[in-house]
Amino acid sequence: MSNENKILIIEDEAPIRRFLDILTTGHGYQVKTVETAQEGLKLITTWNPHLILLDLGLPDADGLDFTKELRSWTDIPIIVISARDKEADKVQALDAGANDYLTKPFGSEELLARIRVALRMSANTSSEEVIQYQFGDVVLNVAMQTVTRLDETIKLTPKEYKILTLLAKNMGKVLTHKQILKEVWGGNYTEHAHYVRIHIAQLRHKIECSPAQPQYIITENGVGYRLISDD
């Protein structure tokens, strides 16, 4: 099984690096592995990977600073894989520009699913803009600025529509409270996480069959939210 997608693994622990190499290579990805941020930076500029698996505790750099540096000039998807399991660590990594965050130890299938989502999002971003998103019976048409379920219009407030559109454009990616607040309310509101919680609750009552057990707008506890489809 061959795959044109190239994955760069930046991980200083040899057993984990070998495991990630075997797992991703075994699923057809082209893979290169390095131990340091400096080696990773060299391959990013010469090998042009489609996705990076990044450990935060590197011997020559802090992974958060490295992520911020990369985000200043590239949109390559970054999935952080780290032993740091506090919510604050996840929020910091995502706010720094990581696309996703997995805490060690993690399941192979979960990692592979996150890789597929990140690569799919990246492919959609680099191709022509998507104008319609669907999750379950709900259809969001960005061009028409409408949201429908089984052809019946769902009335959203402007803020609810902005949040749903933001989540849809980042389908599968967890967005932090801060990221949502900045995009929907502006930079002066990034500490008002309760605004997001209130509007997400309202959105769920409008688009979820069971708001108390949401299928599409998923909570990442203490971090933020992600929208998932049923593909």
Side-chain angles (χ1 to χ4, degrees):
M1 171 172 65
S2 62
N3 193 317
E4 293 181 357
N5 287 308
K6 299 186 289 186
I7 296 178
L8 173 61
I9 298 167
I10 308 176
E11 165 65 66
D12 66 324
E13 293 185 51
I16 297 176
R17 192 168 60 249
R18 284 195 297 271
F19 165 72
L20 293 173
D21 187 4
I22 293 168
L23 176 65
T24 49
T25 301
H27 282 78
Y29 296 105
Q30 300 177 48
V31 180
K32 289 186 182 293
T33 67
V34 295
E35 300 178 44
T36 67
Q38 195 60 39
E39 292 173 302
L41 188 59
K42 186 182 297 184
L43 277 178
I44 291 166
T45 56
T46 58
W47 190 52
N48 298 316
H50 296 98
L51 181 139
I52 299 168
L53 298 181
L54 175 68
D55 180 31
L56 292 182
L58 300 174
D60 63 334
D62 179 78
L64 291 176
D65 293 335
F66 187 58
T67 299
K68 290 176 185 176
E69 178 187 347
L70 291 179
R71 277 295 168 260
S72 68
W73 58 272
T74 181
D75 292 325
I76 296 172
I78 300 170
I79 298 179
V80 167
I81 296 173
S82 177
R84 302 178 193 177
D85 59 358
K86 294 180 180 178
E87 290 174 356
D89 295 320
K90 298 177 183 180
V91 171
Q92 286 181 331
L94 294 164
D95 282 341
N99 293 67
D100 214 334
Y101 191 110
L102 275 176
T103 303
K104 300 174 183 175
F106 50 84
S108 301
E109 290 306 315
E110 183 177 10
L111 174 59
L112 291 169
R114 300 289 181 92
I115 288 173
R116 289 192 296 271
V117 167
L119 289 171
R120 187 164 62 242
M121 284 178 55
S122 179
N124 287 342
T125 300
S126 60
S127 60
E128 57 184 80
E129 186 176 357
V130 178
I131 62 169
Q132 182 168 291
Y133 301 89
Q134 182 164 359
F135 34 99
D137 295 328
V138 180
V139 176
L140 165 62
N141 189 307
V142 178
M144 300 294 291
Q145 295 191 350
T146 60
V147 181
T148 59
R149 178 191 286 119
L150 300 176
D151 296 327
E152 290 188 12
T153 299
I154 299 174
K155 293 183 180 179
L156 301 183
T157 68
K159 287 286 193 294
E160 290 167 356
Y161 178 80
K162 284 184 178 181
I163 292 171
L164 186 61
T165 302
L166 179 64
L167 290 169
K169 287 183 176 180
N170 292 276
M171 186 78 73
K173 176 182 177 180
V174 57
L175 296 179
T176 67
H177 297 102
K178 185 175 180 180
Q179 289 170 330
I180 296 172
L181 285 162
K182 184 177 180 181
E183 292 294 326
V184 177
W185 278 270
N188 294 328
Y189 293 84
T190 53
E191 302 304 317
H192 297 71
H194 62 286
Y195 286 11
V196 180
R197 287 193 290 269
I198 291 168
H199 283 74
I200 289 290
Q202 293 171 177
L203 259 177
R204 282 174 170 160
H205 275 90
K206 294 180 179 181
I207 70 169
E208 297 277 4
C209 293
S210 176
Q213 296 178 307
Q215 290 180 274
Y216 305 115
I217 302 178
I218 305 302
T219 300
E220 297 289 338
N221 290 328
V223 178
Y225 302 92
R226 76 169 89 220
L227 182 68
I228 61 173
S229 66
D230 43 10
D231 318 341

